[in-house]
Amino acid sequence: MSALPADVETAIRETLQESGVDLSRVLIERHGQDVVVKGAVNTAAEKALAEAAAARLSRRARIFCEIEVALIYEAAEDVVYEAGIESFPASDPPCWASRLGRL
């Protein structure tokens, strides 16, 4: 374990960014000689990438990976989808009338 935790923190962050992991809900903390990676990612694939990066860099420092897959996926805002939801139904449903002119 020759690297400083700050160096390992930077290496983890860069490795995850290069792998395409969304770091918006991932926190990397240093506690003495330990580095803790925790938070939530969007998919199981992102979790596997984070765990692999932590395992690869664990030769340089003690790394604890506490990443979870988010139960609610927080995608970027989609204005087209939102407009479609807000405009549904596009018109009033047809009225129901009997053939005899009375209900």
Side-chain angles (χ1 to χ4, degrees):
M1 292 193 217
S2 59
L4 297 173
D7 297 335
V8 174
E9 177 185 353
T10 302
I12 290 171
R13 187 173 306 283
E14 289 173 355
T15 301
L16 294 178
Q17 285 176 335
E18 289 169 2
S19 299
V21 175
D22 178 14
L23 294 177
S24 63
R25 294 180 287 168
V26 174
L27 183 61
I28 302 172
E29 299 177 339
R30 289 178 279 149
H31 301 283
Q33 293 298 313
D34 299 337
V35 178
V36 180
V37 182
K38 61 183 178 180
V41 292
N42 296 327
T43 64
E46 285 186 350
K47 179 180 179 183
L49 287 170
E51 290 172 341
R56 203 169 40 255
L57 294 168
S58 65
R59 293 180 221 112
R60 297 172 60 184
R62 286 193 332 183
I63 302 173
F64 300 95
C65 191
E66 300 172 2
I67 296 288
E68 298 294 328
V69 177
L71 295 177
I72 299 173
Y73 178 69
E74 295 181 13
E77 183 179 353
D78 185 354
V79 292
V80 174
Y81 175 77
E82 187 67 29
I85 293 296
E86 290 177 359
S87 68
F88 183 81
S91 62
D92 294 333
C95 74
W96 293 93
S98 69
R99 287 192 220 174
L100 301 175
R102 59 178 193 250
L103 293 174

